[in-house]
Amino acid sequence: MTPRRPRLGVMGGTFDPIHHGHLVAASEVAAEFDLDEVVFVPTGNPTFKQGQHVTAAEHRYLMAVIATASNPRFTVSRVDIDRPGLTYTVDTLRDLNLHRPGADLFFITGADAVEQILSWKDPDELFGMAQFVAVTRPGHTLSIAGLPADRVSQHEIPALAISSTDVRARARAGQPVWYLVPDGVVQYIAKHGLYRGNDE
Ligand code: ATP
Ligand code: MG
């Protein structure tokens, strides 16, 4: 019997910081699509966040490691933060294909990000490299109209109205971020004074 091809979920994001919305999305898609692993890939320089301040990649990477450490099926990849220049998803998928030959890739996006896929670099190549799974997100209408139906699926997940933008604003204002992000991430933010203007 030929062994089943590994099924690898790919959760791309800025993760500034990683929060429970990201983790629930990955967990739900892993269960629904029978994934063996989900790799979280923090962006290097995000294409869509040029001109905005983004926390140093090493902090974002370490928070992703802390947040995923207890889940044996969750891992974190450095492919995007170690590649110079802007981060494009097509490069992420190319690199993961090189690192994990023979795996079937499932790229997970929230309802807000899926609206932009056609504007991403090399969209036709993208759909050849991975299945895309678009998940619901509070405040955004999920639509996969116009995307190739055989390569893009949608999946409803428990609604967590959490965004990294809100977590950063809370940390800056001295408001609690407990239970929005994993405990270790709360402590990491406090330890390094992130989002208070001294995290350059
Ligand atoms: P920011 O506010 O800085 O943009 P974010 O919360 O949107 O941060 P990102 O790192 O931009 O987080 O998102 C990474 C991926 O996770 C995207 O595909 C996004 O749509 C998805 N995502 C983020 N938060 C949620 C959520 N609460 N529910 C479902 N999907 C989410
Ligand atoms: Mg976002």
Side-chain angles (χ1 to χ4, degrees):
M1 207 174 81
T2 29
R4 192 182 78 141
R5 287 164 66 88
R7 294 164 72 83
L8 179 66
V10 181
M11 183 83 203
T14 314
F15 302 133
D16 190 14
I18 192 166
H19 56 66
H20 280 127
H22 301 130
L23 294 161
V24 164
S27 170
E28 290 291 306
V29 174
E32 179 69 18
F33 290 81
D34 196 20
L35 305 183
D36 299 298
E37 177 183 336
V38 178
V39 54
F40 288 72
V41 192
T43 52
N45 291 311
T47 325
F48 288 102
K49 296 194 177 169
Q50 287 178 69
Q52 294 175 35
H53 174 71
V54 174
T55 304
E58 219 55 46
H59 282 314
R60 294 184 289 108
Y61 169 77
L62 284 173
M63 289 190 282
V65 169
I66 289 165
T68 56
S70 58
N71 187 324
R73 289 181 190 263
F74 284 0
T75 56
V76 187
S77 166
R78 298 185 62 94
V79 285
D80 283 352
I81 63 176
D82 287 345
R83 186 185 324 100
L86 294 175
T87 293
Y88 295 101
T89 301
V90 70
D91 297 325
T92 310
L93 295 176
R94 277 189 200 122
D95 283 352
L96 290 173
N97 263 321
L98 289 175
H99 285 113
R100 309 292 187 97
D104 287 332
L105 304 185
F106 295 77
F107 192 86
I108 304 163
T109 61
D112 56 316
V114 81
E115 286 170 4
Q116 303 169 343
I117 291 188
L118 287 177
S119 69
W120 293 359
K121 194 177 150 208
D122 302 336
D124 294 338
E125 192 181 347
L126 276 176
F127 294 121
M129 297 176 94
Q131 286 278 345
F132 282 74
V133 182
V135 299
T136 48
R137 179 173 188 181
H140 301 273
T141 305
L142 179 58
S143 166
I144 57 171
L147 302 177
D150 56 332
R151 301 302 287 166
V152 184
S153 349
Q154 52 187 336
H155 184 57
E156 184 168 350
I157 62 169
L160 295 185
I162 306 174
S163 70
S164 301
T165 300
D166 179 52
V167 172
R168 293 193 299 274
R170 284 168 162 271
R172 194 172 302 120
Q175 293 167 346
V177 297
W178 290 108
Y179 315 116
L180 300 174
V181 302
D183 293 359
V185 173
V186 179
Q187 289 159 333
Y188 188 96
I189 290 170
K191 175 174 172 179
H192 294 278
L194 299 188
Y195 312 123
R196 298 197 153 206
N198 51 355
D199 56 319
E200 311 298 318

